[in-house]
Amino acid sequence: MKRFNDKAIIITGADSSLGRVTALQLAREGANVILLGTNSTLLEHIASELPEDHTWINTGNHLAVTCDITNEQQGERLVSHILDKYHRVDGLININTEVKISQALLTELAKTKGSIVNVSLLSDTSQQWSLTAYKKAYEDLTAHNKQLALDYGSKEVRVNGVHAGLTVEDSDDIDNVALFTEQSPLSKLLHMEEIANAILFLASHESSIITGTTLAVDGGLSLTL
């Protein structure tokens, strides 16, 4: 059985490279994917790429929505739209997006005992980076996830995170690549699929007892900080 059969998963920052790869993997695992971002043309293109499963267990429909989920009213309208189409919300994946969880969204996630995965991606944050800034970003995300996990635990909504390093898509930046590979024990850049694998694990039932955790998907760079 596919891990996300008939589940409705929201991805913010879906019009990014990682958003696209994550959406593709979710769709292959049976999810109904709701793509959120600011570039409507790109979102529609990504939605058209997603495989659809028309078996009895999955409707196979995906949504591309231009929406500011940080706005309470827009967030509530989005949840209403998702419920009209899928009748449930099972997960929220935030890719480099600061999101205030609306009461409407939290209520629906509690119904499904859903999960939130907050993702920070080094290559999406800045063209220039430092080890100090990377450590600070990791610490901030870790603290944020722990607090949300404590806040939402009573509702059985899990909150975890992924802190990702430099990817092969950034290989043209020689200085950044050298800094990253010299400092990380595995000495290699990440593939988007490797980051998405970690995201899907934390969003799935396979991690049903895990909350408040932030995975460093960075070739071991975080070990050296």
Side-chain angles (χ1 to χ4, degrees), residues 36-54:
L36 299 189
T38 58
N39 188 326
S40 59
T41 301
L42 186 53
L43 289 174
E44 291 290 348
H45 174 70
I46 294 172
S48 70
E49 291 184 299
L50 301 183
E52 295 197 356
D53 182 353
H54 292 290

PDB file of all heavy atoms in Angstrom, residues 36-54:
ATOM      1  N   LEU A  36       1.009  25.274  -3.019  1.00  0.00           N
ATOM      2  CA  LEU A  36       0.868  26.697  -2.709  1.00  0.00           C
ATOM      3  C   LEU A  36       2.151  27.433  -3.053  1.00  0.00           C
ATOM      4  O   LEU A  36       3.256  26.951  -2.790  1.00  0.00           O
ATOM      5  CB  LEU A  36       0.571  26.910  -1.225  1.00  0.00           C
ATOM      6  CG  LEU A  36      -0.702  26.316  -0.637  1.00  0.00           C
ATOM      7  CD1 LEU A  36      -0.893  26.835   0.775  1.00  0.00           C
ATOM      8  CD2 LEU A  36      -1.898  26.628  -1.489  1.00  0.00           C
ATOM      9  N   GLY A  37       2.007  28.619  -3.632  1.00  0.00           N
ATOM     10  CA  GLY A  37       3.172  29.429  -3.962  1.00  0.00           C
ATOM     11  C   GLY A  37       2.730  30.759  -4.523  1.00  0.00           C
ATOM     12  O   GLY A  37       1.544  31.108  -4.492  1.00  0.00           O
ATOM     13  N   THR A  38       3.676  31.505  -5.075  1.00  0.00           N
ATOM     14  CA  THR A  38       3.376  32.829  -5.620  1.00  0.00           C
ATOM     15  C   THR A  38       3.386  32.859  -7.137  1.00  0.00           C
ATOM     16  O   THR A  38       2.855  33.782  -7.741  1.00  0.00           O
ATOM     17  CB  THR A  38       4.396  33.860  -5.097  1.00  0.00           C
ATOM     18  OG1 THR A  38       5.725  33.436  -5.463  1.00  0.00           O
ATOM     19  CG2 THR A  38       4.321  33.985  -3.583  1.00  0.00           C
ATOM     20  N   ASN A  39       3.996  31.841  -7.767  1.00  0.00           N
ATOM     21  CA  ASN A  39       4.105  31.791  -9.228  1.00  0.00           C
ATOM     22  C   ASN A  39       3.043  30.841  -9.773  1.00  0.00           C
ATOM     23  O   ASN A  39       3.233  29.628  -9.818  1.00  0.00           O
ATOM     24  CB  ASN A  39       5.510  31.329  -9.623  1.00  0.00           C
ATOM     25  CG  ASN A  39       5.755  31.431 -11.114  1.00  0.00           C
ATOM     26  OD1 ASN A  39       4.859  31.233 -11.927  1.00  0.00           O
ATOM     27  ND2 ASN A  39       6.994  31.737 -11.483  1.00  0.00           N
ATOM     28  N   SER A  40       1.909  31.393 -10.178  1.00  0.00           N
ATOM     29  CA  SER A  40       0.783  30.563 -10.605  1.00  0.00           C
ATOM     30  C   SER A  40       1.111  29.739 -11.845  1.00  0.00           C
ATOM     31  O   SER A  40       0.681  28.580 -11.962  1.00  0.00           O
ATOM     32  CB  SER A  40      -0.447  31.440 -10.868  1.00  0.00           C
ATOM     33  OG  SER A  40      -0.171  32.404 -11.871  1.00  0.00           O
ATOM     34  N   THR A  41       1.875  30.311 -12.771  1.00  0.00           N
ATOM     35  CA  THR A  41       2.234  29.581 -13.992  1.00  0.00           C
ATOM     36  C   THR A  41       3.069  28.358 -13.662  1.00  0.00           C
ATOM     37  O   THR A  41       2.830  27.255 -14.180  1.00  0.00           O
ATOM     38  CB  THR A  41       3.011  30.494 -14.957  1.00  0.00           C
ATOM     39  OG1 THR A  41       2.209  31.635 -15.288  1.00  0.00           O
ATOM     40  CG2 THR A  41       3.385  29.743 -16.231  1.00  0.00           C
ATOM     41  N   LEU A  42       4.047  28.545 -12.789  1.00  0.00           N
ATOM     42  CA  LEU A  42       4.915  27.431 -12.404  1.00  0.00           C
ATOM     43  C   LEU A  42       4.141  26.389 -11.604  1.00  0.00           C
ATOM     44  O   LEU A  42       4.328  25.175 -11.792  1.00  0.00           O
ATOM     45  CB  LEU A  42       6.104  27.953 -11.593  1.00  0.00           C
ATOM     46  CG  LEU A  42       7.188  26.937 -11.224  1.00  0.00           C
ATOM     47  CD1 LEU A  42       7.693  26.197 -12.457  1.00  0.00           C
ATOM     48  CD2 LEU A  42       8.347  27.649 -10.514  1.00  0.00           C
ATOM     49  N   LEU A  43       3.262  26.831 -10.729  1.00  0.00           N
ATOM     50  CA  LEU A  43       2.456  25.892  -9.949  1.00  0.00           C
ATOM     51  C   LEU A  43       1.598  25.024 -10.854  1.00  0.00           C
ATOM     52  O   LEU A  43       1.485  23.805 -10.661  1.00  0.00           O
ATOM     53  CB  LEU A  43       1.565  26.648  -8.963  1.00  0.00           C
ATOM     54  CG  LEU A  43       2.253  27.310  -7.768  1.00  0.00           C
ATOM     55  CD1 LEU A  43       1.238  28.135  -6.979  1.00  0.00           C
ATOM     56  CD2 LEU A  43       2.901  26.281  -6.865  1.00  0.00           C
ATOM     57  N   GLU A  44       0.973  25.627 -11.850  1.00  0.00           N
ATOM     58  CA  GLU A  44       0.139  24.875 -12.785  1.00  0.00           C
ATOM     59  C   GLU A  44       0.981  23.874 -13.574  1.00  0.00           C
ATOM     60  O   GLU A  44       0.534  22.754 -13.848  1.00  0.00           O
ATOM     61  CB  GLU A  44      -0.579  25.829 -13.744  1.00  0.00           C
ATOM     62  CG  GLU A  44      -1.648  26.694 -13.093  1.00  0.00           C
ATOM     63  CD  GLU A  44      -2.868  25.887 -12.659  1.00  0.00           C
ATOM     64  OE1 GLU A  44      -2.981  24.711 -13.054  1.00  0.00           O
ATOM     65  OE2 GLU A  44      -3.696  26.438 -11.921  1.00  0.00           O
ATOM     66  N   HIS A  45       2.190  24.277 -13.927  1.00  0.00           N
ATOM     67  CA  HIS A  45       3.079  23.371 -14.664  1.00  0.00           C
ATOM     68  C   HIS A  45       3.441  22.167 -13.798  1.00  0.00           C
ATOM     69  O   HIS A  45       3.410  21.021 -14.272  1.00  0.00           O
ATOM     70  CB  HIS A  45       4.344  24.104 -15.090  1.00  0.00           C
ATOM     71  CG  HIS A  45       5.370  23.211 -15.722  1.00  0.00           C
ATOM     72  ND1 HIS A  45       5.204  22.649 -16.964  1.00  0.00           N
ATOM     73  CD2 HIS A  45       6.569  22.758 -15.259  1.00  0.00           C
ATOM     74  CE1 HIS A  45       6.254  21.889 -17.254  1.00  0.00           C
ATOM     75  NE2 HIS A  45       7.085  21.941 -16.241  1.00  0.00           N
ATOM     76  N   ILE A  46       3.779  22.422 -12.533  1.00  0.00           N
ATOM     77  CA  ILE A  46       4.130  21.325 -11.624  1.00  0.00           C
ATOM     78  C   ILE A  46       2.930  20.405 -11.428  1.00  0.00           C
ATOM     79  O   ILE A  46       3.051  19.180 -11.455  1.00  0.00           O
ATOM     80  CB  ILE A  46       4.623  21.882 -10.275  1.00  0.00           C
ATOM     81  CG1 ILE A  46       5.941  22.630 -10.460  1.00  0.00           C
ATOM     82  CG2 ILE A  46       4.802  20.750  -9.251  1.00  0.00           C
ATOM     83  CD1 ILE A  46       6.408  23.387  -9.234  1.00  0.00           C
ATOM     84  N   ALA A  47       1.744  20.996 -11.255  1.00  0.00           N
ATOM     85  CA  ALA A  47       0.534  20.196 -11.071  1.00  0.00           C
ATOM     86  C   ALA A  47       0.285  19.285 -12.268  1.00  0.00           C
ATOM     87  O   ALA A  47      -0.154  18.135 -12.114  1.00  0.00           O
ATOM     88  CB  ALA A  47      -0.667  21.106 -10.843  1.00  0.00           C
ATOM     89  N   SER A  48       0.585  19.779 -13.460  1.00  0.00           N
ATOM     90  CA  SER A  48       0.367  18.973 -14.663  1.00  0.00           C
ATOM     91  C   SER A  48       1.339  17.801 -14.752  1.00  0.00           C
ATOM     92  O   SER A  48       1.070  16.819 -15.459  1.00  0.00           O
ATOM     93  CB  SER A  48       0.513  19.845 -15.916  1.00  0.00           C
ATOM     94  OG  SER A  48       1.874  20.230 -16.121  1.00  0.00           O
ATOM     95  N   GLU A  49       2.457  17.889 -14.038  1.00  0.00           N
ATOM     96  CA  GLU A  49       3.449  16.807 -14.044  1.00  0.00           C
ATOM     97  C   GLU A  49       3.105  15.686 -13.075  1.00  0.00           C
ATOM     98  O   GLU A  49       3.635  14.581 -13.197  1.00  0.00           O
ATOM     99  CB  GLU A  49       4.829  17.348 -13.645  1.00  0.00           C
ATOM    100  CG  GLU A  49       5.477  18.274 -14.638  1.00  0.00           C
ATOM    101  CD  GLU A  49       6.877  18.649 -14.173  1.00  0.00           C
ATOM    102  OE1 GLU A  49       6.987  19.249 -13.083  1.00  0.00           O
ATOM    103  OE2 GLU A  49       7.844  18.326 -14.871  1.00  0.00           O
ATOM    104  N   LEU A  50       2.261  15.976 -12.111  1.00  0.00           N
ATOM    105  CA  LEU A  50       2.011  15.014 -11.047  1.00  0.00           C
ATOM    106  C   LEU A  50       1.215  13.820 -11.560  1.00  0.00           C
ATOM    107  O   LEU A  50       0.178  13.990 -12.199  1.00  0.00           O
ATOM    108  CB  LEU A  50       1.257  15.674  -9.893  1.00  0.00           C
ATOM    109  CG  LEU A  50       1.934  16.877  -9.230  1.00  0.00           C
ATOM    110  CD1 LEU A  50       1.093  17.379  -8.062  1.00  0.00           C
ATOM    111  CD2 LEU A  50       3.340  16.529  -8.771  1.00  0.00           C
ATOM    112  N   PRO A  51       1.682  12.621 -11.259  1.00  0.00           N
ATOM    113  CA  PRO A  51       0.943  11.430 -11.682  1.00  0.00           C
ATOM    114  C   PRO A  51      -0.375  11.329 -10.938  1.00  0.00           C
ATOM    115  O   PRO A  51      -0.468  11.695  -9.770  1.00  0.00           O
ATOM    116  CB  PRO A  51       1.885  10.280 -11.311  1.00  0.00           C
ATOM    117  CG  PRO A  51       2.722  10.824 -10.195  1.00  0.00           C
ATOM    118  CD  PRO A  51       2.906  12.283 -10.502  1.00  0.00           C
ATOM    119  N   GLU A  52      -1.397  10.840 -11.614  1.00  0.00           N
ATOM    120  CA  GLU A  52      -2.712  10.696 -10.999  1.00  0.00           C
ATOM    121  C   GLU A  52      -3.081   9.223 -10.894  1.00  0.00           C
ATOM    122  O   GLU A  52      -2.943   8.464 -11.835  1.00  0.00           O
ATOM    123  CB  GLU A  52      -3.770  11.452 -11.799  1.00  0.00           C
ATOM    124  CG  GLU A  52      -3.551  12.957 -11.784  1.00  0.00           C
ATOM    125  CD  GLU A  52      -4.790  13.717 -12.202  1.00  0.00           C
ATOM    126  OE1 GLU A  52      -5.781  13.071 -12.577  1.00  0.00           O
ATOM    127  OE2 GLU A  52      -4.763  14.952 -12.142  1.00  0.00           O
ATOM    128  N   ASP A  53      -3.550   8.871  -9.715  1.00  0.00           N
ATOM    129  CA  ASP A  53      -3.969   7.502  -9.429  1.00  0.00           C
ATOM    130  C   ASP A  53      -5.490   7.471  -9.374  1.00  0.00           C
ATOM    131  O   ASP A  53      -6.099   7.997  -8.451  1.00  0.00           O
ATOM    132  CB  ASP A  53      -3.368   7.063  -8.087  1.00  0.00           C
ATOM    133  CG  ASP A  53      -3.711   5.631  -7.737  1.00  0.00           C
ATOM    134  OD1 ASP A  53      -4.513   5.032  -8.462  1.00  0.00           O
ATOM    135  OD2 ASP A  53      -3.182   5.128  -6.739  1.00  0.00           O
ATOM    136  N   HIS A  54      -6.111   6.854 -10.383  1.00  0.00           N
ATOM    137  CA  HIS A  54      -7.569   6.847 -10.459  1.00  0.00           C
ATOM    138  C   HIS A  54      -8.178   5.542  -9.965  1.00  0.00           C
ATOM    139  O   HIS A  54      -9.278   5.177 -10.359  1.00  0.00           O
ATOM    140  CB  HIS A  54      -8.007   7.105 -11.905  1.00  0.00           C
ATOM    141  CG  HIS A  54      -7.695   8.489 -12.370  1.00  0.00           C
ATOM    142  ND1 HIS A  54      -8.355   9.602 -11.906  1.00  0.00           N
ATOM    143  CD2 HIS A  54      -6.762   8.951 -13.252  1.00  0.00           C
ATOM    144  CE1 HIS A  54      -7.873  10.695 -12.491  1.00  0.00           C
ATOM    145  NE2 HIS A  54      -6.902  10.319 -13.306  1.00  0.00           N
TER     146      HIS A  54
END
